[in-house]
Amino acid sequence: MQVPAGDLLKRIIDPSDLKQFKEEELKQVCNELRQYIIDVVSVNGGHFAASLGTVELTVALQYVLNTPYDQLVWDVGHQAYGHKILTGRRDQFHTNRIHNGISGFPKRSESIYDTFGVGHSSTSISAALGMAVASQYKGETDRQHVAVIGDGAMTAGLAFEALNHAGTENSNILVILNDNNMSIDPNVGALKEYLTDITTSKPYNRFRDDIATILTKISAIGPDAFKIAKKLEKSIKGTLLKRSNFFEALKFRYFGPIDGHDVEHLVKVLKDLRDIPGPKLLHCITVKGKGYALAEKDQTKWHAPGLFDKITGEIKKTKYDKPQPPKYQDVFGHTIIELAEANPKIMGITPAMPSGSSLNLMMKAMPNRAFDVGIAEQHAVTFSAGLATQGLVPFCNIYSSFMQRAYDQVIHDVAIQKLNVVFCLDRAGIAGADGPTHHGAYDLAFMRCIPNMTVSAPMNEEELRNLMYTAQLENMGPFSIRYPRGNGVMVDWRKPFKAIPVGKGRKICDGEDVAIVSIGAIGNEVVKATSQLNDLGYYPAHYDLRFVKPLDAAMLHEVFSKFGCVITVEDGCIEGGMGTALLEFMADNKYLGTNVIRLGIPDKIIEHGEQPELWAECGYDAASIVAKVQSLDIKCNKHTIAS
């Protein structure tokens, strides 16, 4: 639904309209923008607290910069709702994250103001530096390049790599460090402590306020005096902070910390920095959830709360008359604790997603055995490998799409060394409203080609528990378990653990002429489809493959020797996925007369929407499976399958 904008905000169609206002009016613009985000997200859902924290920064940047000529790159995109509203998408903002609506993240194909598509964190500095170097090469010396990155995203190796490179280039780049001590969960690590030292050092902050005036007076004496003064400044900074300034050690000029919610001061500082050449870093202190008291108080809960009453703060949840199946992530969270209580070798690792993966349950119950390593997927994998060399069994929980960032470590540090690291890939398959950057489309394909790797997917919560139990048994080696976002299908899911023979699938139901082979939770859509088909007089067999590596050869010999038509169903990419594995098996074993139809994510980028909407769009929900079977021209013993 459309939400009315405030008196000033409704006059802003694009950033050029923002410049009509006086600087003293920007505070009202910020208030109206913040209220508009609250109004829309409360009734439509979406990410929430992060964008509230960047309202003043967004307004100040668009007021000072000449976008889109000046290049503004946001990191992740959770913090960019204000940016979208000010850049021509206010009237479409109510469609944010809805199927066929605007994306929840900056997206180049959506707007010329979205200079770089962002969904995974920590890419902004690299991208902005590339733009800055390109502008320098083309002689566009008046062009500004700004990367806005959170302190959580700054913990990733990619951000450090970009800073290290940027310091050696004389390109016009400004990195704005949006420091709110949060990513989705509270930040961890030495960088967090370093930034806290800067922001809480009273002597340093008093020094910071005076240094500009002092340097201005000294520099009037001459250039040599100015150089001496700059060295003195760095020395004093190092003394006051008991260490040298990290960013200046990387040849960035460091400014701050400043109040990221004082829009008029931000405008003044940004105007000043616009005229200073070379790499610069502005350290802004903000509050995630700023302006909405409940979000300020519990920033993790209000990162993406869903629908809520903006007056009372009550988060609206569907109420059920009877118990409902749990989320797969919660099954993981409770199960790893059960396993760890019985096996002292088990450890839990996640890169900055303890609440999103439910590893926070283990972190609370066993704080010395569960680790949040920050936004550092590569480190998470190799850290897990290091644990495994010492006889421990690390469960490394990473979202499927984020695992793409650590692929080399999976091969080089885990698979080659045959280490028993258990990869629990959450959000596998279509992930929903977060869209293409978060869909876990590729893990079946990219994991199954790795030697020594076991690749599995449970069809329900009981199988997830049993695969986790199996993976921690002796001599299992590298082991991948993928499961989807959202709720499972079993209310009574806490069953006693049972080992699953590696590479062993199961037959869900027998049938005639057509066999449907599925892997993972999408098999529940096949169950629905077979039930509907039975009512219509069609009787396909259904097999749950369970492992895409190693394959259940005995089961597949049965399938290909008995059925002339095989339909494969997977919540993953068709190219190189489970269906491809069956084609390879068929060719290797000379079952050349079988008709194989593969259903899954096609070879294109799938946009955002709810999971059932996207399954239907891709053609592998229950209705699509029914339609596919009905379309086949196959004579059965008792029934005719024809269009």
Side-chain angles (χ1 to χ4, degrees), residues 423-476:
F423 297 107
C424 294
L425 305 187
D426 200 338
R427 271 64 166 178
I430 292 294
D434 282 335
T437 58
H438 285 62
H439 295 326
Y442 311 111
D443 60 90
L444 285 176
F446 70 61
M447 283 296 197
R448 80 176 188 88
C449 65
I450 301 175
N452 301 323
M453 181 69 69
T454 296
V455 184
S456 67
M459 188 169 156
N460 55 44
E461 299 93 310
E462 182 180 9
E463 285 202 329
L464 173 56
R465 285 170 56 79
N466 288 336
L467 283 170
M468 290 176 65
Y469 172 76
T470 302
Q472 53 90 51
L473 298 176
E474 291 294 326
N475 302 316
M476 278 298 165

Side-chain angles (χ1 to χ4, degrees), residues 175-356:
V175 175
I176 296 180
L177 175 57
N178 174 31
D179 183 1
N180 57 27
N181 200 30
M182 291 288 294
S183 50
I184 295 175
D185 292 279
N187 287 332
V188 297
L191 180 64
K192 167 204 168 183
E193 296 174 5
Y194 172 75
L195 295 176
T196 301
D197 285 349
I198 292 179
T199 58
T200 58
S201 171
K202 292 180 180 178
Y204 172 70
N205 281 281
R206 284 196 300 269
F207 165 78
R208 179 206 70 208
D209 294 336
D210 296 336
I211 193 65
T213 302
I214 296 171
L215 286 178
T216 300
K217 292 178 179 178
I218 294 178
S219 63
I221 300 173
D224 290 338
F226 184 79
K227 291 179 181 177
I228 294 171
K230 287 299 296 179
K231 290 182 179 179
L232 178 63
E233 175 195 8
K234 291 183 179 180
S235 175
I236 295 173
K237 282 182 179 179
T239 300
L240 291 172
L241 293 175
K242 297 184 176 61
R243 68 192 82 180
S244 62
N245 185 284
F246 170 77
F247 302 107
E248 292 189 348
L250 292 173
K251 299 183 180 179
F252 270 74
R253 292 199 56 188
Y254 172 87
F255 301 89
I258 68 170
D259 182 356
H261 297 298
D262 185 342
V263 67
E264 292 185 56
H265 187 222
L266 279 170
V267 166
K268 179 181 181 301
V269 171
L270 290 171
K271 285 181 176 178
D272 290 341
L273 294 181
R274 183 177 55 188
D275 299 325
I276 298 175
K280 307 167 289 291
L281 187 138
L282 175 62
H283 185 180
C284 296
I285 307 302
T286 62
V287 176
K288 190 174 182 180
K290 178 70 174 178
Y292 194 77
L294 292 172
E296 292 184 31
K297 185 177 179 181
D298 191 342
Q299 297 166 333
T300 298
K301 177 180 179 180
W302 288 88
H303 173 73
L307 308 186
F308 62 94
D309 186 313
K310 67 180 182 181
I311 305 300
T312 66
E314 179 186 1
I315 296 175
K316 300 175 182 178
K317 295 183 178 179
T318 304
K319 296 182 179 179
Y320 299 95
D321 296 331
K322 54 184 180 180
Q324 295 297 303
K327 292 181 179 179
Y328 281 100
Q329 69 176 68
D330 290 337
V331 174
F332 164 82
H334 291 292
T335 300
I336 193 172
I337 292 175
E338 288 184 57
L339 292 172
E341 287 172 342
N343 183 352
K345 296 179 180 180
I346 289 176
M347 312 291 274
I349 298 92
T350 187
M353 296 303 297
S355 61

Side-chain angles (χ1 to χ4, degrees), residues 512-519 522-523 525-526 529-530 533 538-545 555-556 559-560 563-570 574 578-580 582-583 586 594-600 618-634 641:
E512 302 171 354
D513 288 324
V514 179
I516 303 175
V517 181
S518 65
I519 189 166
I522 200 65
E525 288 293 298
V526 179
T530 55
L533 285 164
Y538 307 112
Y539 298 92
H542 179 200
Y543 294 85
D544 171 25
L545 191 60
M555 189 175 81
L556 292 181
V559 168
F560 284 107
F563 298 95
C565 183
V566 176
I567 299 173
T568 67
V569 182
E570 58 194 304
I574 290 177
M578 180 268 287
T580 300
L582 264 63
L583 288 176
M586 183 182 75
T594 306
N595 178 25
V596 176
I597 299 169
R598 294 176 296 158
L599 303 182
C618 293
Y620 59 91
D621 66 330
S624 299
I625 297 167
V626 169
K628 179 58 67 176
V629 171
Q630 288 181 303
S631 72
L632 300 174
D633 186 16
I634 297 177
I641 299 178

Side-chain angles (χ1 to χ4, degrees), residues 404-446:
Q404 294 158 195
R405 303 184 132 197
Y407 191 53
D408 178 64
Q409 284 67 37
V410 173
I411 297 171
H412 186 277
D413 299 335
V414 177
I416 289 176
Q417 303 186 94
K418 300 181 182 179
L419 295 173
N420 187 194
V421 175
V422 183
F423 297 107
C424 294
L425 305 187
D426 200 338
R427 271 64 166 178
I430 292 294
D434 282 335
T437 58
H438 285 62
H439 295 326
Y442 311 111
D443 60 90
L444 285 176
F446 70 61

Side-chain angles (χ1 to χ4, degrees), residues 97-151:
R97 292 166 52 87
I98 295 173
H99 193 220
N100 295 323
I102 66 171
S103 171
F105 302 101
K107 185 177 180 182
R108 281 173 56 83
S109 61
E110 186 177 288
S111 171
I112 58 173
Y113 293 96
D114 292 358
T115 60
F116 201 75
V118 287
H120 292 189
S121 82
S122 315
T123 59
S124 59
I125 304 175
S126 295
L129 178 61
M131 296 171 186
V133 169
S135 294
Q136 186 178 44
Y137 174 74
K138 294 188 292 184
E140 298 166 344
T141 57
D142 61 333
R143 203 169 195 182
Q144 304 292 313
H145 310 85
V146 180
V148 182
I149 182 169
D151 54 317

Side-chain angles (χ1 to χ4, degrees), residues 556-558 560-561 585-594:
L556 292 181
H557 280 303
E558 175 183 324
F560 284 107
S561 61
F585 179 90
M586 183 182 75
D588 291 344
N589 291 277
K590 298 181 174 55
Y591 291 108
L592 303 181
T594 306

